[in-house]
Amino acid sequence: MTPPLLKKLLPAKARFSLRKLYWLSRSWLYLGRNVFCPLCEGSFRTFLPFGSERRPQALCPRCHTVERHRLLWLYLQEQVGITERPLEVLHMAPEPILQQRLKRLLNLRYRSADLTSPLAMDHVDIQALPYAPATFDLILCSHVLAHVPDDRQALRELRRVLKPGGTLLLQARLHPRATTLEVPQAVTPQQRLQAFGQADRYRNYGQDFAHRVAEEGFAVQAVEYALAHPPQERTRMGLGNQELIFVATLPAHEGS
Ligand SMILES: [Zn+2]
């Protein structure tokens, strides 16, 4: 938690750099050989517990990434060839460490975008993107859509700026219920807090998430990518057991 005075005096980028220094200095306490974070490439004796329901072995002590970040980075390296292929990449609501890794890759033309985050390169509304049609080969959009008033419009915009044959990688928190919960009467932050458990959420996705994305013109595959790795590797890299990556693609030559 940043003290209010520090928040007032320091711009967000400086605060983030300070936080990083603090994590880095504390991470020495956890150095070891039991676990490995593929994002910061640090080896530690343990990952730390994290989350409202305290998942054990979740948080990297150095770069503060959790299971889904590490899993996505592995997918990008192993399945997308992110370190080698020349790709135009759009990263929505960029996770700082992932952004740092992607920005350094000279084979990419990389843009990050967010409505307000000072860490993003472009400030945009995902429901009305300022990019030309068919601009990007790859779009990353992790844990964003539940926080967008009209997620279907956002998906149409992502589809518009994606090249034919391009890929949209999505991650989202799914609830056990079969269908997505939307409450049109919940219009204030307080009402949304009551309805969805968080004031900045507009819905809680159910198991129909992939279907919802497919309805906006994508071919969608839900990939349990942790399972592509042997159990001891899953534990060593703290990949979790239930994280899904939704791989949404467009046909190479789209008719519409
Ligand atoms: Zn790390």
Side-chain angles (χ1 to χ4, degrees):
M1 182 76 73
T2 312
L5 182 63
L6 212 58
K7 209 168 180 176
K8 230 176 184 174
L9 293 177
L10 288 176
K13 277 185 188 170
R15 289 203 306 274
F16 177 66
S17 299
L18 270 183
R19 269 207 305 275
K20 255 188 4 188
L21 265 181
Y22 173 71
W23 298 338
L24 191 64
S25 63
R26 281 186 59 86
S27 70
W28 292 100
L29 298 172
Y30 300 97
L31 285 184
R33 288 167 172 266
N34 296 336
V35 300
F36 172 75
C37 170
L39 262 165
C40 68
E41 299 183 344
S43 292
F44 308 99
R45 59 186 163 78
T46 184
F47 289 121
L48 305 176
F50 187 73
S52 49
E53 287 164 21
R54 294 314 249 186
R55 304 186 307 280
Q57 299 293 328
L59 188 77
C60 171
R62 181 183 291 164
C63 70
H64 274 212
T65 51
V66 296
E67 301 94 325
R68 66 186 169 88
H69 302 122
R70 295 188 288 270
L71 193 66
L72 180 61
W73 177 241
L74 286 181
Y75 186 88
L76 288 171
Q77 282 184 300
E78 296 167 356
Q79 299 300 314
V80 175
I82 197 79
T83 57
E84 293 145 23
R85 288 173 59 200
L87 296 170
E88 302 254 359
V89 177
L90 177 63
H91 188 182
M92 297 304 307
E95 298 84 353
I97 304 299
L98 190 54
Q99 167 163 259
Q100 199 177 67
R101 294 296 309 252
L102 294 171
K103 258 184 171 174
R104 285 187 193 149
L105 294 174
L106 300 178
N107 54 306
L108 302 183
R109 290 185 64 174
Y110 174 85
R111 298 302 301 172
S112 64
D114 188 274
L115 191 59
T116 54
S117 167
L119 299 176
M121 297 158 83
D122 300 330
H123 288 142
V124 306
D125 180 349
I126 193 171
Q127 301 161 113
L129 291 170
Y131 311 112
T135 299
F136 299 101
D137 301 289
L138 174 68
I139 301 178
L140 310 177
C141 187
S142 180
H143 288 242
V144 173
L145 292 176
H147 305 274
V148 176
D150 186 345
D151 63 334
R152 291 183 183 276
Q153 171 61 20
L155 283 164
R156 286 192 287 274
E157 275 296 85
L158 293 171
R159 178 182 162 186
R160 181 182 66 78
V161 301
L162 199 58
K163 289 180 187 173
T167 301
L168 164 65
L169 295 181
L170 295 159
Q171 289 174 300
R173 181 174 160 206
L174 300 193
H175 291 254
R177 49 181 294 131
T179 54
T180 293
L181 172 69
E182 291 184 286
V183 182
Q185 311 88 284
V187 290
T188 66
Q190 185 58 35
Q191 288 166 335
R192 290 199 298 266
L193 176 68
Q194 264 188 339
F196 310 119
Q198 252 178 278
D200 64 346
R201 292 181 81 86
Y202 286 84
R203 66 198 60 77
N204 281 343
Y205 287 118
Q207 300 300 310
D208 59 345
F209 177 71
H211 180 68
R212 195 175 174 98
V213 177
E215 281 180 338
E216 301 308 328
F218 293 93
V220 187
Q221 230 194 325
V223 180
E224 273 189 278
Y225 195 57
L227 298 183
H229 300 81
Q232 65 271 28
E233 283 297 283
R234 297 206 289 268
T235 306
R236 192 173 78 91
M237 293 191 280
L239 302 182
N241 292 317
Q242 294 164 327
E243 291 292 330
L244 289 172
I245 297 174
F246 293 90
V247 182
T249 52
L250 293 182
H253 298 287
E254 221 192 353
S256 59

